[in-house]
Amino acid sequence: MKRAVAHSIVWLVITYFLIISISMFLPLKESMGRAIQGVGMMAGLFYVSGWLTTQLLIRRKNPVLFVLFAIFLIIIFSYIKVEVLHLFPWYLAKISGQLPNDFFQQRDNLFLGRNLSMINRFGTVRAPYFVSLLMNSVILIIAVLFRLYEHKAEKELENREKLQKNQEAQILYLKSQVNPHFLFNTLNNLYGLTYSKSDLAPRMVLGLSDTMRYLIYETEQKLVPVEKELNFIRNYLDLEKMRISYPESIRISTQVKQPSAFIPPLLLLPFVENCFKHGTIGKEEDGWMELDIWDDHHYFYFVCKNNFRENMKISGINGIGLTNVKQRLDLIFGEKYELRTVKQHEEYMVSLQFPFFLKKNQL
């Protein structure tokens, strides 16, 4: 509806200015008739060209057939336009009942084929056809460019809607994939700490509460502040530290200059989880993991390292969780991110960088 109203307004404005221009040389009624006829031809060519663009360029992707039809269309509309212009003044005058004394002189002046001065200027009696072909070519090009731009806008809107749906689905999946062992181990450790009346029990309850609150409520948003995502990661690691024998083997370094910037939620968690799932941290005395997080020039950087044993199964980028993350990165950032994984000398590293958002509604 809005599109139809906008188009109607544009054509009305063009008609108005065309009437004003023609009325400088012809009576008002004849000017209105010529303007309406001219705009009608323009609109017809414009929308037929748009339809051809949709059918032959966008859907069938056949530029050769489109060019042939476009040339045929320009010739047909040019012929009709010249012939209609030739007949129109006579019928207009007859219908209106008014025939100005200098009507035929005015009519002849309007037709390049009958005006000697214009014939000399263009050098051919076919000048009306040449001018009409030129104008119709311009209109067709404008119509094609407009339809292609419109199609691009439609695809972008479709992609944004697809992105939103995929984002929601991915978030739900990730929330359901948070390592069940982490929750079970945390609850078991919490039971042990509670049973022994350890002072760590309240901290573990609070940390678990904050972690679950973030997973349930905060991740409903498309983007979350960097600070909240980092606090979630820290809470997760604090809970893991409480259940392992060597908490000092978990090291995290953050140097974030813009904590109020925004990133998609739960992008980092699968990489952190994999350190505990497939590394030696918490399983062997020499197990360790390191996180380095920083930002610079509108980019967010995340590097995660951990050690493993060659006989242990390592989940690389082809793992379900990490593949899911890669799909999200593709949907959100396209080619603007970089994700690398390196496995060597019993050390596994994930390096991720992507642009962060300055506003919450940018995605």
Side-chain angles (χ1 to χ4, degrees):
M1 183 62 182
K2 291 182 180 179
R3 182 173 179 269
V5 172
H7 280 236
S8 299
I9 292 173
V10 170
W11 291 121
L12 287 174
V13 170
I14 293 175
T15 304
Y16 172 77
F17 282 105
L18 199 56
I19 291 173
I20 297 298
S21 301
I22 299 175
S23 64
M24 297 174 64
F25 307 98
L26 294 175
L28 181 60
K29 288 186 178 180
E30 189 173 341
S31 301
M32 291 177 62
R34 284 183 174 276
I36 293 171
Q37 175 268 333
V39 172
M41 295 292 294
M42 290 169 58
L45 178 59
F46 183 88
Y47 291 114
V48 173
S49 301
W51 181 82
L52 275 180
T53 304
T54 301
Q55 298 299 320
L56 299 180
L57 278 185
I58 296 175
R59 293 182 180 175
R60 298 187 184 181
K61 302 185 185 303
N62 192 332
V64 175
L65 190 60
F66 170 78
V67 170
L68 293 176
F69 271 96
I71 293 172
F72 176 75
L73 196 63
I74 291 172
I75 294 173
I76 291 297
F77 268 81
S78 298
Y79 177 80
I80 294 173
K81 185 176 182 180
V82 171
E83 292 303 316
V84 171
L85 278 173
H86 178 70
L87 297 173
F88 193 85
W90 171 257
Y91 287 113
L92 179 67
K94 189 174 181 180
I95 292 170
S96 65
Q98 297 179 356
L99 188 62
N101 295 329
D102 59 347
F103 169 75
F104 290 104
Q105 180 63 38
Q106 290 177 350
R107 185 190 66 177
D108 290 344
N109 288 338
L110 289 172
F111 295 111
L112 303 179
R114 300 184 182 185
N115 190 306
L116 293 177
S117 63
M118 290 188 177
I119 289 174
N120 293 332
R121 184 179 301 175
F122 287 93
T124 173
V125 295
R126 298 302 178 186
Y129 291 99
F130 172 77
V131 174
S132 186
L133 285 169
L134 184 62
M135 291 179 61
N136 287 339
S137 298
V138 172
I139 292 170
L140 184 137
I141 291 172
I142 292 174
V144 171
L145 293 177
F146 179 82
R147 183 65 191 98
L148 292 175
Y149 173 81
E150 202 174 41
H151 175 68
K152 180 182 177 183
E154 290 170 357
K155 290 297 292 182
E156 288 178 352
L157 178 61
E158 182 182 333
N159 288 336
R160 282 198 297 269
E161 292 175 351
K162 180 181 177 181
L163 172 62
Q164 181 177 352
K165 292 179 180 178
N166 277 277
Q167 274 276 86
E168 293 171 356
Q170 297 283 10
I171 290 292
L172 289 174
Y173 177 83
L174 284 170
K175 286 161 70 171
S176 67
Q177 290 296 311
V178 174
N179 192 353
H181 297 292
F182 159 75
L183 183 58
F184 296 148
N185 289 335
T186 302
L187 290 175
N188 286 333
N189 290 331
L190 180 59
Y191 171 77
L193 293 173
T194 305
Y195 186 80
S196 62
K197 298 182 181 180
S198 171
D199 294 336
L200 293 176
R203 284 178 52 195
M204 183 170 283
V205 171
L206 183 61
L208 184 60
S209 174
D210 290 341
T211 300
M212 300 309 296
R213 184 184 299 110
Y214 182 83
L215 285 172
I216 295 172
Y217 299 111
E218 298 292 341
T219 55
E220 296 293 335
Q221 307 296 323
K222 296 178 186 177
L223 295 173
V224 296
V226 171
E227 188 174 21
K228 286 190 175 182
E229 183 76 3
L230 293 184
N231 286 338
F232 167 72
I233 295 296
R234 291 191 189 99
N235 283 335
Y236 183 94
L237 292 177
D238 287 342
L239 290 172
E240 291 287 3
K241 286 179 181 180
M242 291 181 192
R243 73 175 185 83
I244 64 177
S245 304
Y246 303 96
E248 66 276 3
S249 60
I250 298 176
R251 297 183 291 274
I252 178 172
S253 171
T254 59
Q255 296 181 357
V256 177
K257 302 172 186 176
Q258 299 194 53
S260 59
F262 296 90
I263 62 175
L266 299 180
L267 274 181
L268 312 179
L269 180 62
F271 303 112
V272 178
E273 275 194 306
N274 271 11
C275 293
F276 295 95
K277 285 183 186 177
H278 308 291
T280 57
I281 183 75
K283 301 171 185 174
E284 297 183 9
E285 184 176 341
D286 60 348
W288 59 269
M289 70 165 290
E290 292 181 354
L291 289 182
D292 288 296
I293 302 171
W294 72 97
D295 61 355
D296 186 36
H297 295 94
H298 300 289
Y299 265 79
F300 186 86
Y301 298 86
F302 172 85
V303 176
C304 179
K305 300 177 183 178
N306 67 279
N307 67 331
F308 66 95
R309 294 286 177 260
E310 289 292 347
N311 58 351
M312 298 179 69
K313 182 181 177 181
I314 301 296
S315 175
I317 196 60
N318 294 322
I320 295 176
L322 295 181
T323 300
N324 229 356
V325 175
K326 189 175 186 303
Q327 290 174 354
R328 286 188 68 202
L329 290 168
D330 288 335
L331 286 169
I332 298 170
F333 301 108
E335 297 180 355
K336 295 181 180 179
Y337 79 94
E338 180 180 335
L339 175 62
R340 294 188 300 115
T341 59
V342 179
K343 175 186 173 185
Q344 60 181 5
H345 307 305
E346 295 191 340
E347 179 178 313
Y348 188 73
M349 182 189 76
V350 175
S351 174
L352 172 64
Q353 67 180 67
F354 55 85
F356 57 74
F357 300 88
L358 296 177
K359 297 181 181 179
K360 191 174 185 178
N361 59 354
Q362 275 188 270
L363 184 58

